[in-house]
Amino acid sequence: MVSIKEVAQKAGVSVSTVSRVINGKQNVSPEKRAKIMQMVKATGYVPNRAARDMVMKRSFTVGIIIPMTFNMFQRQLFSDIEHHLEDFGYHSSFYFVAMSQESEEACLRRLKGEKTDGVILLHEIELPEFREYLEKNDIPSVIATFEKERWKSTSIHISENEAASAAVNHLIKLGHREIALLSGKRYSFGRQRLQGYVNALESAGIPYNESKVVFVDSYSISDGMSGMKELLDRKISFSALFAITDELAIGAMRYLKDRGYQVPGDISVVGCDDIEISSYTIPRLTTIRQPVSEMGKMSVAMLHSLITSESKMNVNIALPFTLIERESVTEYTKNI
Amino acid sequence: MVSIKEVAQKAGVSVSTVSRVINGKQNVSPEKRAKIMQMVKATGYVPNRAARDMVMKRSFTVGIIIPMTFNMFQRQLFSDIEHHLEDFGYHSSFYFVAMSQESEEACLRRLKGEKTDGVILLHEIELPEFREYLEKNDIPSVIATFEKERWKSTSIHISENEAASAAVNHLIKLGHREIALLSGKRYSFGRQRLQGYVNALESAGIPYNESKVVFVDSYSISDGMSGMKELLDRKISFSALFAITDELAIGAMRYLKDRGYQVPGDISVVGCDDIEISSYTIPRLTTIRQPVSEMGKMSVAMLHSLITSESKMNVNIALPFTLIERESVTEYTKNI
DNA sequence: CTGAAAGCGCTTACAG
DNA sequence: CTGAAAGCGCTTACAG
């Protein structure tokens, strides 16, 4: 591969000068600049990234922390983030982490060797050393799509609590009072959306009833099916369901169909997130939309500004969510 | 950050020796080795990747070429590939490329600067210089999930042609004769699956009828809807549809429902790929399964062997596919 | 088994 | 505006 030295020789200048022009610095005579550009083109020279990274002591890469198995919402988010990262000229390095301490430690170890310019978390890491390492080394981080308390970093999210309330209020406004909840314990948003459900019920003067809520392990479609099964097996009476993620809702609708129930005829279902597939399900899912692309875009933009600016001020950004009314919800008529 | 030099000083040895132990070389006395390990631990030393990459003239990263907008099948594949790459100790670098020459050129330019150890293509690149560059520089590449003619690299795929035939034969066996095709021109598999459809018809002595096939621009769910619309608007008569991707099939089922048709009551639908969501749609989709995880795993394993072994032999691997019978297909009763 | 030294390909003061 | 030189943090012959 051709090196900067070779280009310098062919152009009859020093490497310093070549370095200047390829990095767009001023103070180079037009003639030399032209000559150098010409040689760069002729030789097909491209700077060696490793060498540059080493001397500049930064890698121009940002680390992306992702859960080992990431769901559809995160896949969309991830893809948006990648695009923007590329636009800003960053590389990205992945860190898949599972729900275990060893996995988090392994992630931290790798992180130390790579000197990423910053980190975007699509997954909540518990390990205290992790946070400490970032803070001690001034590595900016942004949390994408979580509203995490006491973690000193910028975070982009919707108000989880209010989003859940909005979903439930929509149901209440339509006359539903026996509203089941399909939730999970994993991640902070599980707790927050549960809280939103509780709040909405309370405001409407509807008593909270434990037997109407089920917690599943994760947030996949199949968890939605098993959660719905559990709910049905309890033989309680209800007319609507709020599933805290769209995938859960889709699984619930699937299972309801298997058991012969109509959505929304027998049960109204509302989800949360608005993943792509939700506009195509049968019936189309009524849900709360998180502005994914904006969130992805902002995550990168915020991280970039944290990396480049002097004042490292961490902000907590709550983006607006929207209720998207589709076909899975209807007015209250009866309980099952 | 602590460097190798610092560790050497604290351990009272030379940097060469430290380098030997952290790289697991032999020929180091047990005492020094122990002392060094201890200092590594104490200082929290982790080798600087950029420095190592530079001197070793390789980056331990593999480039992943992805289409600008990647579909659900590719997202699953991608996620599998990433996991395995991490297992093998590789990093990955993304190259999103659009359907344009400039985009392919930009991709090539970046590739030149990064000295990736190898490349995995999830997207077909047309630019001849691209292939030339890889060949000239002995950069191994594997094509994941495409069966590409005249491209000297290893490729992992199913027999597209036969997979399509299997789907259509299934329909034929159930008595269908008027079988519509929802296809696309983009990528070689579009052409290949079309060929499989044609072959299956021919073997069964059913004449190919152009009016029963529609080509859409891309392979998304919404393309599936618009393709189905076009088909219906042609007012032709048919009893079954083969959509060359699951997303297309899901879009078609969606649109059929909107127009008041029953699947499979009025129209049987079979897809191809077997993406996750296909087992949860209403009705569940009958489709041809590509062994995604195996494909992801093999792509990485093959690339790794290409990178590390001496003999760079390129192989063309066709993995078996399976017909997955679910609920979207039924016996022929009538045409619409 | 071990260390001194060269070199990888860049950037960045520094001196002119 | 320009170049010589130092230095980034490693690995790898080479000599002992």
Side-chain angles (χ1 to χ4, degrees), chain B residues 58-298:
Chain B
R58 54 175 287 207
S59 58
F60 295 93
T61 105
V62 347
I64 315 242
I65 315 287
I66 325 182
M68 198 59 93
T69 63
F70 57 143
N71 62 33
M72 297 187 182
F73 176 75
Q74 289 170 128
R75 299 222 261 249
Q76 283 179 223
L77 179 65
F78 164 81
S79 145
D80 275 313
I81 288 179
E82 275 308 316
H83 276 100
H84 293 296
L85 244 23
E86 191 175 311
D87 291 345
F88 277 98
Y90 287 106
H91 289 263
S92 55
S93 201
F94 296 109
Y95 297 84
F96 284 100
V97 3
M99 290 291 193
S100 76
Q101 189 171 332
E102 307 91 79
S103 180
E104 297 192 346
E105 282 166 352
C107 169
L108 178 56
R109 221 172 304 124
R110 266 188 60 205
L111 201 58
K112 288 183 177 173
E114 298 187 17
K115 308 207 181 325
T116 54
D117 287 1
V119 157
I120 295 181
L121 294 117
L122 266 55
H123 179 261
E124 293 180 308
I125 296 238
E126 303 301 336
L127 202 69
E129 289 84 8
F130 191 88
R131 190 166 57 247
E132 287 162 17
Y133 171 73
L134 295 183
E135 289 182 11
K136 219 167 285 174
N137 296 75
D138 274 320
I139 299 175
S141 62
V142 356
I143 301 184
T145 274
F146 287 108
E147 186 180 2
K148 199 165 171 66
E149 307 92 356
R150 26 166 266 290
W151 177 304
K152 221 188 81 195
S153 82
T154 286
S155 92
I156 317 280
H157 55 82
I158 56 172
S159 165
E160 303 289 1
N161 189 313
E162 291 173 22
S165 290
V168 178
N169 281 145
H170 177 59
L171 260 10
I172 293 173
K173 203 178 312 162
L174 259 21
H176 295 279
R177 290 189 63 85
E178 307 294 314
I179 303 171
L181 175 71
L182 186 42
S183 184
K185 300 198 178 113
R186 198 174 279 189
Y187 294 125
S188 49
F189 78 83
R191 208 175 45 253
Q192 292 158 179
R193 293 186 185 178
L194 163 65
Q195 191 54 247
Y197 164 84
V198 170
N199 293 160
L201 252 35
E202 191 168 310
S203 308
I206 301 171
Y208 173 81
N209 182 340
E210 214 178 42
S211 75
K212 287 192 173 56
V213 354
V214 4
F215 293 97
V216 287
D217 282 342
S218 191
Y219 299 108
S220 69
I221 300 184
S222 70
D223 288 307
M225 288 188 68
S226 54
M228 194 67 235
K229 177 177 190 322
E230 185 176 333
L231 220 38
L232 253 25
D233 289 350
R234 287 185 191 169
K235 300 198 186 312
I236 49 162
S237 145
F238 62 109
S239 64
L241 170 77
F242 170 44
I244 74 160
T245 74
D246 279 7
E247 292 185 73
L248 247 26
I250 291 170
M253 293 200 297
R254 211 326 133 197
Y255 191 73
L256 249 7
K257 174 86 178 178
D258 287 341
R259 289 276 285 256
Y261 291 104
Q262 297 289 330
V263 173
D266 297 313
I267 299 284
S268 285
V269 173
V270 25
C272 189
D273 284 348
D274 194 28
I275 59 179
E276 271 168 29
I277 190 77
S278 300
S279 12
Y280 301 106
T281 51
I282 296 177
R284 292 176 172 87
L285 186 65
T286 287
T287 188
I288 300 287
R289 172 178 298 164
Q290 295 207 53
V292 213
S293 337
E294 286 75 11
M295 294 174 109
K297 190 176 205 149
M298 288 201 76

Side-chain angles (χ1 to χ4, degrees), chain A residues 14 16-17 20 27-29 32 54 57:
Chain A
S14 71
S16 323
T17 306
R20 281 184 194 105
N27 301 346
V28 177
S29 73
K32 302 216 170 186
M54 184 175 79
K57 288 173 176 312

Side-chain angles (χ1 to χ4, degrees), chain A residues 16-21 24-33 36:
Chain A
S16 323
T17 306
V18 176
S19 175
R20 281 184 194 105
V21 352
K25 300 276 165 77
Q26 295 310 304
N27 301 346
V28 177
S29 73
E31 305 81 53
K32 302 216 170 186
R33 181 181 298 276
I36 290 169

Side-chain angles (χ1 to χ4, degrees), chain A residues 1 44 46-54 61 67-70 72 75-76 78-79 82-83 86 90-96 109-110 112-115 133 137 221-222 225 247 250-251 253-255 257-258 276-277 279-284 327, chain B residues 1 44 46-54 61 67-70 72 75-76 78-79 82-83 86 90-96 109-110 112-115 133 137 221-222 225 247 250-251 253-255 257-258 276-277 279-284 327:
Chain A
M1 277 279 76
V46 181
N48 177 301
R49 200 161 83 83
R52 168 180 284 172
D53 285 359
M54 184 175 79
T61 105
M68 199 59 92
T69 63
F70 57 142
M72 298 187 182
R75 298 223 261 249
Q76 284 181 222
F78 164 81
S79 144
E82 275 310 316
H83 275 99
E86 192 176 310
Y90 287 106
H91 289 263
S92 53
S93 200
F94 295 108
Y95 299 84
F96 284 99
R109 220 172 305 123
R110 265 188 60 205
K112 286 183 177 172
E114 298 187 19
K115 307 209 181 326
Y133 171 73
N137 295 75
I221 299 183
S222 72
M225 288 189 67
E247 291 185 72
I250 290 169
M253 292 200 299
R254 210 328 130 195
Y255 191 74
K257 174 86 179 180
D258 287 340
E276 271 168 30
I277 191 75
S279 10
Y280 300 106
T281 51
I282 295 178
R284 293 177 172 88
E327 308 164 347
Chain B
M1 279 279 75
V46 181
N48 177 301
R49 200 161 85 81
R52 167 179 284 173
D53 285 0
M54 185 175 78
T61 105
M68 198 59 93
T69 63
F70 57 143
M72 297 187 182
R75 299 222 261 249
Q76 283 179 223
F78 164 81
S79 145
E82 275 308 316
H83 276 100
E86 191 175 311
Y90 287 106
H91 289 263
S92 55
S93 201
F94 296 109
Y95 297 84
F96 284 100
R109 221 172 304 124
R110 266 188 60 205
K112 288 183 177 173
E114 298 187 17
K115 308 207 181 325
Y133 171 73
N137 296 75
I221 300 184
S222 70
M225 288 188 68
E247 292 185 73
I250 291 170
M253 293 200 297
R254 211 326 133 197
Y255 191 73
K257 174 86 178 178
D258 287 341
E276 271 168 29
I277 190 77
S279 12
Y280 301 106
T281 51
I282 296 177
R284 292 176 172 87
E327 310 165 345

Side-chain angles (χ1 to χ4, degrees), chain A residues 15-275:
Chain A
V15 299
S16 323
T17 306
V18 176
S19 175
R20 281 184 194 105
V21 352
I22 63 176
N23 288 301
K25 300 276 165 77
Q26 295 310 304
N27 301 346
V28 177
S29 73
E31 305 81 53
K32 302 216 170 186
R33 181 181 298 276
K35 181 72 183 162
I36 290 169
M37 292 300 262
Q38 182 193 329
M39 292 324 299
V40 166
K41 193 145 227 165
T43 57
Y45 170 70
V46 181
N48 177 301
R49 200 161 83 83
R52 168 180 284 172
D53 285 359
M54 184 175 79
V55 45
M56 297 188 72
K57 288 173 176 312
R58 53 175 288 205
S59 58
F60 295 94
T61 105
V62 345
I64 315 245
I65 315 287
I66 325 184
M68 199 59 92
T69 63
F70 57 142
N71 62 33
M72 298 187 182
F73 176 76
Q74 290 169 127
R75 298 223 261 249
Q76 284 181 222
L77 180 64
F78 164 81
S79 144
D80 275 313
I81 288 180
E82 275 310 316
H83 275 99
H84 292 296
L85 243 24
E86 192 176 310
D87 291 344
F88 277 98
Y90 287 106
H91 289 263
S92 53
S93 200
F94 295 108
Y95 299 84
F96 284 99
V97 2
M99 289 293 194
S100 76
Q101 189 171 333
E102 309 89 81
S103 179
E104 297 192 346
E105 281 166 353
C107 168
L108 178 56
R109 220 172 305 123
R110 265 188 60 205
L111 201 57
K112 286 183 177 172
E114 298 187 19
K115 307 209 181 326
T116 55
D117 287 1
V119 156
I120 295 181
L121 294 117
L122 265 54
H123 179 262
E124 293 179 308
I125 297 239
E126 303 301 336
L127 202 70
E129 289 82 8
F130 191 89
R131 190 166 57 249
E132 286 161 18
Y133 171 73
L134 295 183
E135 289 183 9
K136 220 168 283 173
N137 295 75
D138 275 321
I139 299 177
S141 62
V142 354
I143 300 183
T145 273
F146 286 108
E147 186 180 1
K148 197 163 173 67
E149 306 91 355
R150 30 166 263 290
W151 176 304
K152 221 189 82 195
S153 82
T154 286
S155 92
I156 316 281
H157 55 82
I158 57 170
S159 166
E160 303 288 1
N161 189 312
E162 291 172 24
S165 289
V168 178
N169 280 146
H170 177 59
L171 260 11
I172 293 173
K173 204 178 310 160
L174 258 22
H176 297 278
R177 291 186 65 85
E178 308 294 314
I179 302 170
L181 176 72
L182 186 42
S183 184
K185 300 197 176 110
R186 196 173 281 187
Y187 294 124
S188 50
F189 78 83
R191 209 174 46 253
Q192 291 158 180
R193 292 185 187 178
L194 163 64
Q195 191 53 247
Y197 165 84
V198 171
N199 294 160
L201 253 35
E202 191 170 308
S203 308
I206 301 171
Y208 173 82
N209 182 341
E210 216 177 42
S211 75
K212 289 194 172 57
V213 353
V214 6
F215 293 97
V216 287
D217 283 343
S218 190
Y219 300 109
S220 68
I221 299 183
S222 72
D223 289 306
M225 288 189 67
S226 55
M228 194 67 234
K229 176 177 190 324
E230 185 177 334
L231 220 39
L232 253 26
D233 289 350
R234 286 185 190 167
K235 299 196 187 311
I236 48 162
S237 144
F238 62 108
S239 65
L241 169 76
F242 169 44
I244 74 161
T245 73
D246 279 6
E247 291 185 72
L248 248 26
I250 290 169
M253 292 200 299
R254 210 328 130 195
Y255 191 74
L256 250 5
K257 174 86 179 180
D258 287 340
R259 289 276 285 256
Y261 291 104
Q262 296 290 328
V263 173
D266 298 313
I267 299 286
S268 285
V269 174
V270 23
C272 190
D273 285 347
D274 195 29
I275 59 180

